[in-house]
Amino acid sequence: MDQKQSLDTICIQGGWQPKNGEPRVLPIYQSTTFKYETSEQMGRLFDLEESGYFYTRLANPTNDAVANKICALEGGVAAMLTSSGQAANMYAVLNICSAGDHIVSAATIYGGTSNLFTVTLKRFGIECTLVDPDASEEELEKAFRPNTRAVFGETIANPALVVLDIEKFARLAHKHEVPLIIDNTFATPINCRPFEWGADIVTHSTTKYMDGHALCVGGCIVDSGNFDWDAHADKYPGLTTPDDSYHGVVYTKKFGKGAYITKATAQLMRDMGSIQSPQNAFLLNVGLETLHLRMPRHCENALKVAQYLKSREDVAWVNYPGLEGDKYYELAQKYMPNGTCGVISFGLKGGRAAAGEFMDKLKLAAIVTHVADARTSVLHPASHTHRQLSDEQLVEAGVDPSLIRLSVGIEDVKDIIADIEQALA
């Protein structure tokens, strides 16, 4: 597809280009396996000598079409779908890190990712240093070690709503000759394209706004193709030296800018198998077709709700990067001038107890362990998603124990505000 096309057009037409007589709508290739005429043809696929499909765990036409659409939206060179956003972040790191390596990550990331990096990957022998994203470059510099292999952050942190200074983090990562990985779930490429600000790899939990309807869990990794793995070959032997499990193929030599995603597919997906089902990829594609229409409405509604909450006496504080006067308003204007996301965090003067009471009285907004879909929903992270963290760890992750996460949907904003009003009353 012509890369000069607007994001709106890519949302609808990207990824699937039917040929004469083929289905206009992306089909679901609901098959685990694919037939070939000769043994030699199949062998070439297994040798990575030819591209094609032989087993859905490695690649599937439905999945590839959707990955290509997300790749075009982000402006990358290659992408792969995973079974969840968690799998995307895990693969993004494991693709370039192994036992004895180290990563630097913003502390204000999603609780599940924080746990993945500090607990699970630690068992794999990969260390992680969490840093305050607002710290100065001099301060952040101290976190780097000779064995640092990647830097990680979220465009807009879930649920702290900290806006990452992408250029600052990219500068530091590149000074230390490592890539910057950005989780762009909350902003989506409609509101922010991290590659344009120096990020090297982007991940998504497609479960959120991309799907948009709370239908299917999924993830995606997109590579910009900008990081020169060969220039730092000693740090990334997995990409720059022969892979004995594939007849000694050297990914950077054979696949050039496609090396990172090819390795993640041919090696990690082959061995760990966190594939997205073609059925889910199909549903994700249906969501993507309206992403450019939904995001402005989410942002518009969220801003009105944030302004309403700020006007209330019983509300202690409101965080929303799109709200003038917010701590991250300036950074949001720089990186996301057209809007941030539909998620707001706030606290009530009654604290933790009042949060539960308020949530129980909501009628239109549902208490769910989800965020970023068409329906308005609410969650108390300290009691739900982040309950494995102590109060001290909650504060480090930018989550006030009284924080209520409100995901503003695309219903009529008057109805959303009326529901909040009756619950507060």
Side-chain angles (χ1 to χ4, degrees):
M1 171 158 286
D2 183 357
Q3 287 300 309
K4 292 183 192 69
Q5 284 189 328
S6 77
L7 297 182
D8 297 21
T9 303
I10 295 169
C11 275
I12 296 161
Q13 300 236 7
W16 172 245
Q17 306 299 309
K19 297 183 189 78
N20 193 37
E22 286 189 335
R24 182 66 194 92
V25 174
L26 172 67
I28 306 170
Y29 285 84
Q30 194 64 53
S31 179
T32 59
T33 191
F34 302 83
K35 177 186 175 287
Y36 289 88
E37 295 298 328
T38 69
S39 168
E40 191 197 335
Q41 280 178 307
M42 180 73 93
R44 284 202 298 270
L45 294 173
F46 273 96
D47 284 349
L48 303 181
E49 288 299 333
E50 268 180 34
S51 62
Y53 302 99
F54 53 93
Y55 195 55
T56 283
R57 186 175 78 236
L58 284 154
N60 174 286
T62 308
N63 292 30
D64 275 2
V66 181
N68 290 340
K69 177 179 279 192
I70 296 171
C71 187
L73 288 171
E74 284 289 5
V77 296
M80 70 184 277
L81 296 187
T82 60
S83 56
S84 67
Q86 280 293 88
N89 284 335
M90 181 177 75
Y91 280 22
V93 172
L94 288 184
N95 203 31
I96 48 175
C97 293
S98 50
D101 289 339
H102 170 254
I103 61 170
V104 173
S105 172
T108 51
I109 56 172
Y110 168 60
T113 312
S114 181
N115 214 59
L116 168 68
F117 290 170
T118 59
V119 178
T120 303
L121 288 188
K122 196 175 182 178
R123 293 194 195 117
F124 284 46
I126 298 166
E127 295 278 335
C128 175
T129 301
L130 297 176
V131 295
D132 175 359
D134 299 334
S136 68
E137 292 195 36
E138 294 69 42
E139 198 56 39
L140 292 168
E141 197 86 55
K142 295 173 188 167
F144 286 82
R145 302 177 189 170
N147 61 335
T148 301
R149 295 292 176 265
V151 178
F152 183 92
E154 291 175 357
T155 319
I156 307 170
N158 171 16
L161 302 179
V162 170
V163 175
L164 193 79
D165 189 343
I166 304 171
E167 282 191 315
K168 176 175 79 175
F169 272 73
R171 251 194 321 274
L172 281 161
H174 298 154
K175 183 178 175 181
H176 291 271
E177 302 176 335
V178 301
L180 173 61
I181 304 170
I182 293 283
D183 182 330
N184 195 31
T185 298
F186 268 16
T188 82
I190 300 303
N191 287 342
C192 184
R193 282 160 48 107
F195 294 153
E196 292 171 4
W197 300 101
D200 300 289
I201 293 147
V202 157
T203 62
H204 284 278
S205 166
T206 61
T207 317
K208 313 300 190 299
Y209 289 117
M210 284 188 165
D211 167 291
H213 301 82
L215 289 173
C216 51
V217 173
C220 186
I221 308 172
V222 187
D223 180 20
S224 68
N226 294 335
F227 193 82
D228 190 344
W229 307 105
D230 278 327
H232 314 295
D234 56 321
K235 290 186 175 182
Y236 303 104
L239 284 158
T240 61
T241 62
D243 177 359
D244 294 334
S245 72
Y246 266 115
H247 320 288
V249 68
V250 177
Y251 294 101
T252 52
K253 295 281 177 282
K254 192 167 179 69
F255 301 102
K257 286 187 182 294
Y260 178 88
I261 293 294
T262 303
K263 176 181 178 290
T265 307
Q267 200 185 72
L268 297 184
M269 196 61 88
R270 174 197 65 192
D271 296 346
M272 296 180 188
S274 305
I275 190 72
Q276 188 166 138
S277 77
Q279 177 78 48
N280 277 11
F282 172 83
L283 292 169
L284 166 58
N285 189 56
V286 175
L288 285 166
E289 288 179 357
T290 58
L291 182 65
H292 62 297
L293 300 175
R294 291 182 285 105
M295 286 311 290
R297 176 63 175 250
H298 278 292
C299 295
E300 187 190 315
N301 279 2
L303 181 58
K304 286 175 182 164
V305 171
Q307 287 164 340
Y308 169 74
L309 286 168
K310 202 163 185 190
S311 74
R312 299 245 353 169
E313 282 297 310
D314 42 7
V315 174
W317 53 272
V318 181
N319 284 345
Y320 183 62
L323 192 61
E324 236 173 303
D326 186 88
K327 183 180 176 185
Y328 296 101
Y329 181 75
E330 298 306 324
L331 273 179
Q333 288 299 301
K334 174 181 172 177
Y335 293 116
M336 294 162 268
N338 299 323
T340 53
C341 66
V343 182
I344 296 169
S345 62
F346 67 100
L348 299 176
K349 286 190 177 155
R352 206 172 183 151
E357 216 176 309
F358 161 74
M359 285 164 58
D360 292 348
K361 291 198 172 83
L362 289 165
K363 294 184 173 76
L364 180 140
I367 301 172
V368 296
T369 315
H370 192 51
V371 68
D373 79 68
R375 303 159 198 83
T376 297
S377 59
V378 68
L379 186 82
H380 181 234
S383 306
H384 307 141
T385 50
H386 289 58
R387 70 180 297 137
Q388 75 273 28
L389 303 183
S390 66
D391 276 10
E392 202 173 278
Q393 287 173 311
L394 282 169
V395 172
E396 192 181 70
V399 181
D400 184 296
S402 71
L403 181 148
I404 297 166
R405 183 181 75 181
L406 180 69
S407 177
V408 180
I410 55 175
E411 305 94 343
D412 188 317
V413 74
K414 292 194 286 292
D415 293 333
I416 299 169
I417 290 171
D419 188 38
I420 293 167
E421 194 163 17
Q422 65 81 24
L424 287 170

